[in-house]
Amino acid sequence: MSKPPVIARVESIRRQRTLARRADVAGFGFWSSKDVVFSFRPAEDDSGVRFFRSDLPKAEPIPALVYYRIAKPRQTSLALGNAQVDMVEHALAALKGAGIDNCDIVVDAPEAPGMDGSGAPFFDAFLEAGIVEQKREKPRLKVVVEGEFIDESSTNGAKIVARPREDGQTVFRYDLRYDVPGAIPNQTATFVWNRNPLDFRREIATCRTFLSYEEATYLREQGICERVGTKDVLVFGKDGPIDNSPRFDNECARHKILDMIGDFSLTSFDLEGEFWATKTGHQQNAKALLRALENIA
Ligand SMILES: [Zn+2]
């Protein structure tokens, strides 16, 4: 049985932020193949990030909080009532990376635009629109006693260790270990983040989602992801990415950190500490966050 970290509320070190004006990102959903516009709008202090399904007029806004997450393989989906929005993790990571806390996202289809499989198209739209500081402070949580989350339901040893940091930084580390010859090579990435959005842009935002050729073939056979090609995301064959070249040697591990930043943003707090993940995915990120939020000292 894993012992969760102890988390404590600490003094805020920054004001909340929102967009200066509307930023629209248009594309199609990787899973659903549906055209979609994600329209990011400025929002009030303390309103957080919320999704508004404009194609479902009576739908309630869905808060971007872990309590509204529903289990869906290989992505982060949120739902409330009859409204649902899928694959929101890269847009959420880009918001967190840009330091945007309050944002109304008006969406006209049930899935985020996949773009190039990274967070960069969202991040760049936010920077172009501009980001403004608001009045209220952003609440902050800090890891004060080391602990870990081990996914008891997984057989591959997936875990996340959380440790205190005395320098006030937030550090993510991801160990990617498939341990299968000819598959995506084992790799590690570390991101030391002092919350400078440009560091996030340079180190993490551009790293794309990835899958093996076998997985891609399987999804195609199921009639899913029909609009996504080998040029759109990283599809790994025996000799590396097909029709594509990696942006970093460890782009996959960096992408996993992008996913962690998106999934760990599903709370109204900034998180300070070191988060070291091995072999985890969206489901474990969400469970670990929930466990941590249950253990606030
Ligand atoms: Zn991802």
Side-chain angles (χ1 to χ4, degrees), residues 89-90 209 255 259 282:
E89 59 270 21
H90 305 152
T209 199
H255 181 84
D259 285 340
H282 297 296

Side-chain angles (χ1 to χ4, degrees), residues 130-250:
I131 298 162
V132 291
E133 205 160 72
Q134 297 175 285
K135 289 198 179 66
R136 300 245 175 99
E137 293 186 326
K138 177 72 177 176
R140 184 170 181 83
L141 291 173
K142 177 180 172 145
V143 178
V144 289
V145 179
E146 177 173 335
E148 63 182 5
F149 168 80
I150 296 173
D151 189 357
E152 313 288 351
S153 65
S154 121
T155 51
N156 72 350
K159 69 172 181 179
I160 300 175
V161 177
R163 296 192 184 98
R165 286 286 293 200
E166 292 317 317
D167 59 4
Q169 312 262 38
T170 294
V171 178
F172 293 95
R173 177 177 160 138
Y174 193 90
D175 282 334
L176 189 148
R177 299 277 177 273
Y178 287 117
D179 292 326
V180 177
I184 298 168
N186 289 352
Q187 54 192 273
T188 295
T190 306
F191 179 45
V192 179
W193 195 18
N194 60 8
R195 303 208 172 263
N196 180 343
L198 297 179
D199 290 344
F200 170 81
R201 174 69 172 78
R202 192 183 58 248
E203 300 282 330
I204 301 294
T206 59
C207 296
R208 293 161 294 175
T209 199
F210 59 91
L211 69 173
S212 68
Y213 180 72
E214 288 74 24
E215 288 173 299
T217 307
Y218 172 79
L219 291 170
R220 277 288 176 80
E221 283 168 5
Q222 307 295 307
I224 321 171
C225 304
E226 284 178 316
R227 282 173 82 176
V228 189
T230 46
K231 287 192 167 64
D232 298 313
V233 294
L234 291 176
V235 179
F236 278 80
K238 278 197 293 294
D239 304 316
I242 300 166
D243 297 333
N244 227 319
S245 45
R247 293 172 176 168
F248 293 91
D249 288 344
N250 58 352

